[in-house]
């Protein structure tokens, strides 16, 4: 494997891990029985924290033809719990939302954009950054 290919594969593995971590965490959480009663003191908010256009999905899987593109969601999760408030991922930087055309990253392999900033979504539910533990 060439040095450039190894570097690209390593970057792809890192990006894939970062994008799939929330799903893995959700799947490995505590079991919830059918008789479990919901706790109204615990709230979960799922927010849209950006859009990623991947222009070469072969970065994630060598079996995908180079140049195959696809869209990736970038969700963020706010959990309000009696023991504290946690933000799982902060998404793409809110500053990207101020750019009309988003931003190109990793040499144009990805185009990232933000339609609605995380700060504005937190404000809509009455949460300030200082409220997050």
């Amino acid at each position: 494997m060439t040095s450039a290919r190894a570097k690209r594969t390593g970057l792809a593995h890192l990006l894939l891990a970062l994008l799939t971590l929330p799903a893995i965490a959700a799947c490995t959480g505590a079991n919830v029985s059918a008789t479990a009663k919901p706790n109204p003191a615990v709230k979960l908010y799922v927010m849209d924290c950006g859009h990623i256009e991947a222009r070469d999905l072969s970065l994630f899987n060598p079996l995908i033809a180079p140049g195959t593109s696809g869209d990736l969601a970038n969700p963020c999760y706010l959990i309000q719990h009696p023991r504290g408030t946690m933000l799982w991922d902060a998404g793409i930087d809110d500053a990207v939302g101020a750019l009309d055309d988003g931003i190109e990253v990793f040499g144009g392999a990805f185009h990232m954009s933000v339609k609605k900033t995380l700060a504005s979504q937190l404000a809509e539910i009455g949460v300030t950054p200082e409220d997050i533990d």
Side-chain angles (χ1 to χ4, degrees), residues 35-86:
T35 59
K37 294 181 182 171
N39 183 343
V42 177
K43 294 180 182 177
L44 170 67
Y45 297 90
V46 181
M47 295 175 240
D48 178 2
C49 290
H51 175 263
I52 304 168
E53 178 188 344
R55 296 197 174 117
D56 188 359
L57 291 173
S58 70
L59 291 169
F60 300 106
N61 183 340
L63 299 177
I64 296 175
T68 302
S69 63
D71 293 326
L72 306 172
N74 192 8
C76 297
Y77 306 89
L78 182 82
I79 303 163
Q80 291 180 320
H81 186 276
R83 292 176 54 192
T85 300
M86 181 180 104

Side-chain angles (χ1 to χ4, degrees), residues 86-131:
M86 181 180 104
L87 180 65
W88 185 271
D89 198 343
I92 299 171
D93 193 309
D94 278 0
V96 175
L99 305 172
D100 290 337
D101 295 327
I103 188 169
E104 299 289 322
V105 295
F106 296 113
F110 302 98
H111 178 82
M112 298 182 171
S113 60
V114 174
K115 291 182 183 174
K116 193 171 189 179
T117 65
L118 175 59
S120 69
Q121 293 177 74
L122 290 173
E124 286 177 5
I125 58 172
V127 174
T128 67
E130 293 78 22
D131 295 331

